[in-house]
Amino acid sequence: MANIVSSGQNESRPRGKFITLEGIDGAGKTTHLQWFCDRLSERAALQAARVIVTFEPGGTPLGETLREILLRQEMHSETEALLMFAARREHIATLIEPALTRGDWVLSDRFTDATFAYQGGGLGLSIDKLRVLEQWVQGELQPDCTVLFDLPIDAAHTRRSRARIPDKFESQSDDFFTRTRAEYLRRTAQAPERFAIINAVGPISTVREQLEAILLTL
Ligand code: Z5A
């Protein structure tokens, strides 16, 4: 049954939907973000809801400060995971949960699946330790839908090499991204009801057709 929240003015709205976008670097999330947000807003408007667009690491003033450190500074892999979850705790407490409770929808460019994929798969951190942090930081909160842009490593490599100056993560090896992608795919197999996988190999128009089909399910 839908979780009804009240605005306190004789108006009640269902709890908002939480949608996340994921994928290895170069998979194309950012290319589709604005378009997807516009289309999602049309659907949210049917429930008198707005779409709040956000991203990780970031999304709050503290998160932005941590993002600067995370994307530029070398650190122990466990420190990196802890900072990702610290930024996430702030993000959930001050932006995500209040928006969902108001009945608004939240679209986040990356969330916890990225930590499992990058720090767990890519850097080899213990998945069990990450699960403990996930439970601590978000409790029962999970996205209602996670769109995974999936792309073979060589295609992502070609796209990344055309893009801007690489940050710490974008400079990682193809082996790192092979492990990252494998962990993303392992997560989709564990929670198939939450994930929608996009085959991101084709042209932008083909990717959009797949996104359109996902929008109809939201
Ligand atoms: N990170 C982490 O390690 N742990 C965590 O818990 C979290 C994050 C939350 C944030 O970077 C970094 O933090 C991220 C993971 C790590 N790694 N990196 N880098 P970010 O927010 O700065 O960037 P990003 O999330 O990786 O997004 P991005 O760099 O913007 O990449 P993208 O969204 O995957 O791709 P894109 O920019 O849309 O496209 C890449 C290029 O391909 C571009 O030139 C496009 O024009 C082109 N493109 C896109 N689609 C197509 C198609 N269909 N055909 C042809 N060419 C295309």
Side-chain angles (χ1 to χ4, degrees), residues 41-69:
S41 296
E42 291 167 16
R43 295 197 74 78
L46 299 175
Q47 296 183 15
R50 295 178 305 159
V51 175
I52 313 288
V53 183
T54 185
F55 59 95
E56 290 202 353
T60 67
L62 176 65
E64 295 269 5
T65 303
L66 293 174
R67 176 187 176 88
E68 281 304 302
I69 298 169

Side-chain angles (χ1 to χ4, degrees), residues 4 18 114 122 134:
I4 304 293
F18 182 28
E134 178 185 34

Side-chain angles (χ1 to χ4, degrees), residues 25-31 67 110 115 118-119 164 169-170 202:
D25 302 288
K29 289 176 296 91
T30 307
T31 299
R67 176 187 176 88
R110 297 196 185 281
T115 316
Y118 280 79
Q119 282 67 48
R164 56 197 160 91
F169 294 98
E170 290 162 338

Side-chain angles (χ1 to χ4, degrees), residues 42 44 69 81 93 103 119 147 154 160 190 208 211:
E42 291 167 16
I69 298 169
Q119 282 67 48
V147 180
D154 51 350
R160 276 199 312 281
Q190 282 181 339
R208 266 187 197 167
L211 289 169

Side-chain angles (χ1 to χ4, degrees), residues 38-205:
D38 291 346
R39 300 285 288 108
L40 193 64
S41 296
E42 291 167 16
R43 295 197 74 78
L46 299 175
Q47 296 183 15
R50 295 178 305 159
V51 175
I52 313 288
V53 183
T54 185
F55 59 95
E56 290 202 353
T60 67
L62 176 65
E64 295 269 5
T65 303
L66 293 174
R67 176 187 176 88
E68 281 304 302
I69 298 169
L70 281 160
L71 262 53
R72 306 206 189 290
Q73 198 165 316
E74 293 302 331
M75 62 186 79
H76 189 279
S77 55
E78 291 189 347
T79 311
E80 192 170 283
L82 287 164
L83 287 179
M84 290 291 180
F85 272 109
R88 183 163 301 130
R89 184 70 203 112
E90 188 73 6
H91 197 198
I92 292 170
T94 65
L95 189 148
I96 296 174
E97 195 56 48
L100 296 175
T101 303
R102 280 196 310 272
D104 284 328
W105 293 19
V106 176
L107 174 62
S108 185
D109 187 349
R110 297 196 185 281
F111 190 61
T112 302
D113 294 305
T115 316
F116 279 87
Y118 280 79
Q119 282 67 48
L123 296 178
L125 266 189
S126 156
I127 296 295
D128 285 343
K129 283 186 181 172
L130 295 180
R131 279 207 199 98
V132 171
L133 291 172
E134 178 185 34
Q135 174 61 34
W136 183 32
V137 165
Q138 59 196 81
E140 298 305 307
L141 177 70
Q142 287 292 343
D144 296 293
C145 174
T146 297
V147 180
L148 175 66
F149 289 72
D150 184 49
L151 190 70
I153 302 305
D154 51 350
H157 182 108
T158 305
R159 287 188 192 172
R160 276 199 312 281
S161 59
R162 280 194 239 121
R164 56 197 160 91
I165 302 165
D167 61 32
K168 188 178 93 183
F169 294 98
E170 290 162 338
S171 310
Q172 290 281 0
S173 66
D174 282 357
D175 284 350
F176 173 92
F177 285 114
T178 300
R179 295 191 299 274
T180 302
R181 181 189 185 206
E183 180 59 24
Y184 267 132
L185 292 173
R186 200 182 66 79
R187 302 257 309 157
T188 66
Q190 282 181 339
E193 69 293 344
R194 172 164 71 86
F195 280 93
I197 305 182
I198 294 272
N199 177 352
V201 177
I204 287 171
S205 57

